[in-house]
Amino acid sequence: MTDELRQRIQSLVATHKIVIFMKGTKVFPMCGFSASAVAVFHELGVPFETVNILEDPELREGIKEFSNWPTIPQVYLAGKFVGGADIVREMYESGELQPLVQSALAA
C-alpha cells in the first residue's frame, strides 16, 4: 500500500465518527453483507457515512490491508475497526454495539 493511500484511509476513518467501507452506498447497497451492516445503523437511527469501495479498486484492496481484515464491509467507530457485517449484527443484537456507537458519536 502506498503512503498516500494509507493517509487517505486514515483520514476517512478519523474524519467520520461512524464509517462503513462497503459495496455500494447506504442508499443502494450492492451486496447482502453491506446491506446488513447499513441496516444496523439505520435501526439505531444514528448518522453514519459510507465509502463505496466499488468505485475505487485501489481503496478496495487497501482497506483490507489497512485493517488486516479480508472482507467487505468494514465498520469503523471513532477511528477504530469494529468488524464486518456479521460481527456488527451480533454486537447489535447482544446490546454491545449501542454503547460503542454512543461513545463514538460523543467523541
Side-chain angles (χ1 to χ4, degrees), residues 3-49:
D3 287 343
E4 181 182 326
L5 180 58
R6 181 175 300 281
Q7 288 174 354
R8 190 169 142 221
I9 294 170
Q10 195 99 37
S11 176
L12 286 167
V13 300
T15 302
H16 304 293
K17 295 180 177 186
I18 301 171
V19 61
I20 305 172
F21 292 85
M22 60 180 282
K23 296 177 181 175
T25 66
K26 62 179 153 185
V27 177
F28 192 68
M30 300 290 285
C31 82
F33 295 107
S34 293
S36 177
V38 164
V40 166
F41 290 95
H42 282 307
E43 289 168 26
L44 288 171
V46 296
F48 64 97
E49 296 296 325

Side-chain angles (χ1 to χ4, degrees), residues 77-97:
L77 300 177
K80 295 181 182 167
F81 177 63
V82 175
D86 292 343
I87 290 172
V88 168
R89 172 62 64 186
E90 288 171 14
M91 291 175 72
Y92 172 66
E93 290 174 355
S94 73
E96 191 179 346
L97 183 65

